[in-house]
Amino acid sequence: MKVALISVHGDPTLQAGGKDAGGMNIYIREVAHRLKSEGIEIDIFTREHNRQEELEEEFEALNIIYINAGDPDIDKTGIFSDLDKFVEGVLNYSSRQNQSYELIYAHYWLSGVVAIELKNAWNVPVITSFHTIQGIKKENFPFNKDNQEREKQERIISLQSDSIIVWSSHEKKFIEQNFGVKPSKISVIPPGVDLDLFHPINIQEARRKIQMQERIRTILYVGRIERLKGLDMLLKALSQIHHEDTFLYIIGGMYNVEEVNRLKKICIDLNLNEKVHFIGSISRKQLKYYYNSADLHVLPSYYESFGLSVLESAACGKPSIASKVGGLPSIIRDNETGFLLEQRSLDSLIKKIEILLNDKELSETMGRAARKQAENLDWDIAINQLKNLFDKLTSK
């Protein structure tokens, strides 16, 4: 089987945590690599960019075709007007190579727009994964801004796709109720986690690997630095935790200058300069040492469609504290593998952090339970479900 995977703004080889690069990039990389090992050929189509210095490593197993569609510096909110050029570029590549595809697999709404045009040209089925949906973000995040076309296009894509893959039942319910899509057309197939890469390591050994002080308490955040992630609440919580030896490590790209400056000003105002470390983007091979060096992981987002960092932290045997939104309740079992925050309460966040910092036995018990749960979210399960869906659509 030959599949055209469309990821307009997301080059899967870009280092996660940078501009427009996060869990979706990691997901595409893993899916493409693992499907190829199952005999499914994947051509990944993405936009040309000038961010070669941000590529994490070479992925020889991935066949990535870069399409020239607009200014390479444009971020994802400005790409919509160049999507016709992207479609043209994909069609030209297919014609030049005399290459046909049995299935189109689109990621994010921009790719969905492209996929529907390609469906009409090639007469093959389309699977769409939105990763985030504008209507859900607006419900949860008061500062949300995006292309005004997005909501309209997400409805069209939902109705014209042959199948939709979501990561949580919450997202499935939203699409059914708001876009009028039949439940049978929507499959809940959450990502897996690389259990070979992310696994428990002795905390002192991990800290020595990244030259972190061994006798401190460490809170970890992993993800893009943007307002949606709610880091300001975590900083306020840290300022009220009365342990001199407690530090926060923030892993994520520093490209969003406005948000980074806002957070650093909060650090100054709350006298946290010595307690907060902005690490920037790092390789995933290095990331495992930060997870294992932490006492706990926190993700106080306004909204997350899934929350891959929570799953990776769990695989490393660490408990997480996260907002009770989107797909996060499908990963964290409240009071067993970590804590879920009702309505992003600052007081609740402070209380939960102090519980885990002060009760080492509880933290370790939750960490072991988190690892056990992560083992049930192995990639093999997700890949088998994807293969079955591919076979179903292409056998019609």
Side-chain angles (χ1 to χ4, degrees):
M1 183 187 300
K2 187 79 170 181
V3 176
L5 190 153
I6 312 298
S7 178
V8 171
H9 79 279
D11 180 348
T13 64
L14 283 171
Q15 197 168 71
K19 179 180 177 182
D20 295 340
M24 187 182 86
N25 302 63
I26 296 166
Y27 176 86
I28 292 170
R29 181 192 311 172
E30 291 284 348
V31 163
H33 178 73
R34 293 171 188 275
L35 285 175
K36 181 174 181 179
S37 68
E38 296 290 330
I40 298 175
E41 294 185 65
I42 307 283
D43 282 351
I44 301 172
F45 294 91
T46 191
R47 288 177 80 242
E48 283 189 354
H49 57 76
N50 53 7
R51 299 164 63 186
Q52 279 66 34
E53 73 283 357
E54 298 178 48
L55 299 181
E56 185 166 342
E57 57 184 277
E58 291 296 325
F59 292 91
E60 295 179 1
L62 302 185
N63 185 31
I64 301 177
I65 298 102
Y66 291 96
I67 303 297
N68 185 352
D71 186 342
D73 291 327
I74 296 174
D75 67 15
K76 64 184 179 183
T77 59
I79 294 173
F80 180 74
S81 60
D82 291 311
L83 291 183
D84 56 340
K85 298 174 186 174
F86 194 95
V87 172
E88 183 181 358
V90 176
L91 291 174
N92 286 342
Y93 174 86
S94 174
S95 178
R96 287 195 312 269
Q97 300 295 320
N98 193 27
Q99 179 64 67
S100 60
Y101 298 93
E102 297 173 61
L103 182 72
I104 303 166
Y105 188 12
H107 295 267
Y108 198 65
W109 74 275
L110 294 167
S111 303
V113 173
V114 170
I116 298 305
E117 291 296 320
L118 294 174
K119 173 183 178 178
N120 294 332
W122 292 339
N123 192 30
V124 296
V126 167
I127 299 174
T128 298
S129 289
F130 286 110
H131 296 271
T132 61
I133 294 177
Q134 175 79 331
I136 302 178
K137 287 179 72 176
K138 284 173 64 176
E139 287 179 357
N140 294 275
F141 182 48
F143 309 103
N144 185 61
K145 295 179 182 178
D146 212 314
N147 190 297
Q148 61 184 2
E149 280 282 333
R150 180 171 176 178
E151 279 188 271
K152 171 187 170 184
Q153 293 297 330
E154 285 177 337
R155 180 183 298 275
I156 293 170
I157 295 161
S158 294
L159 293 171
Q160 295 189 11
S161 294
D162 296 272
S163 182
I164 299 169
I165 293 175
V166 297
W167 289 355
S168 69
S169 56
H170 174 266
E171 191 175 339
K172 182 177 189 287
K173 184 178 179 181
F174 181 92
I175 293 173
E176 290 173 13
Q177 294 180 345
N178 291 273
F179 297 157
V181 177
K182 294 179 180 178
S184 59
K185 203 167 93 169
I186 309 170
S187 300
V188 181
I189 305 178
V193 62
D194 188 338
L195 296 171
D196 294 327
L197 177 60
F198 296 107
H199 59 86
I201 301 172
N202 175 272
I203 189 169
Q204 300 305 337
E205 177 188 343
R207 289 183 175 186
R208 285 192 291 271
K209 286 281 188 180
I210 56 175
Q211 299 181 330
M212 182 186 290
Q213 294 181 57
E214 294 187 16
R215 298 183 180 276
I216 60 173
R217 303 169 193 238
T218 301
I219 301 167
L220 183 68
Y221 164 85
V222 177
R224 294 190 305 278
I225 299 179
E226 56 182 60
R227 200 158 186 174
L228 174 71
K229 301 297 185 177
L231 275 165
D232 47 359
M233 187 170 80
L234 179 53
L235 294 175
K236 292 171 186 175
L238 180 64
S239 72
Q240 296 184 48
I241 293 170
H242 303 295
H243 296 290
E244 290 296 323
D245 62 348
T246 301
F247 296 84
L248 169 63
Y249 284 75
I250 297 174
I251 309 294
M254 309 289 277
Y255 68 92
N256 190 338
V257 177
E258 180 180 354
E259 180 64 5
V260 170
N261 288 341
R262 188 179 77 90
L263 294 174
K264 287 187 173 181
K265 184 178 185 302
I266 292 173
C267 288
I268 293 170
D269 294 342
L270 298 177
N271 196 29
L272 292 174
N273 275 350
E274 301 299 320
K275 304 191 79 173
V276 178
H277 300 279
F278 290 86
I279 305 301
S281 288
I282 59 175
S283 72
R284 293 176 65 68
K285 289 180 179 178
Q286 192 177 18
L287 179 57
K288 68 179 179 182
Y289 295 116
Y290 278 92
Y291 281 127
N292 279 285
S293 294
D295 292 287
L296 66 146
H297 168 257
V298 180
L299 187 62
S301 302
Y302 286 89
Y303 178 72
E304 291 284 341
S305 58
F306 187 68
L308 191 58
S309 63
V310 172
L311 184 53
E312 292 171 348
S313 178
C316 292
K318 300 294 178 176
S320 287
I321 302 171
S323 307
K324 190 177 180 180
V325 295
L328 289 169
S330 67
I331 312 173
I332 296 177
R333 292 203 301 265
D334 195 25
N335 295 307
E336 293 182 40
T337 66
F339 293 118
L340 290 168
L341 302 174
E342 297 281 355
Q343 300 178 334
R344 299 185 65 260
S345 162
L346 175 61
D347 289 341
S348 179
L349 177 57
I350 294 167
K351 178 181 177 182
K352 302 302 185 186
I353 289 175
E354 288 185 330
I355 287 173
L356 290 178
L357 289 179
N358 293 327
D359 192 335
K360 184 177 180 182
E361 183 177 351
L362 175 63
S363 178
E364 290 179 348
T365 298
M366 282 187 165
R368 286 192 295 270
R371 170 66 191 188
K372 189 173 182 180
Q373 185 185 16
E375 289 171 351
N376 293 324
L377 287 168
D378 183 83
W379 268 112
D380 288 345
I381 299 170
I383 295 302
N384 283 332
Q385 290 177 307
L386 285 174
K387 283 172 55 186
N388 290 337
L389 180 58
F390 287 9
D391 289 339
K392 177 183 175 183
L393 290 175
T394 56
S395 62
K396 287 183 178 180

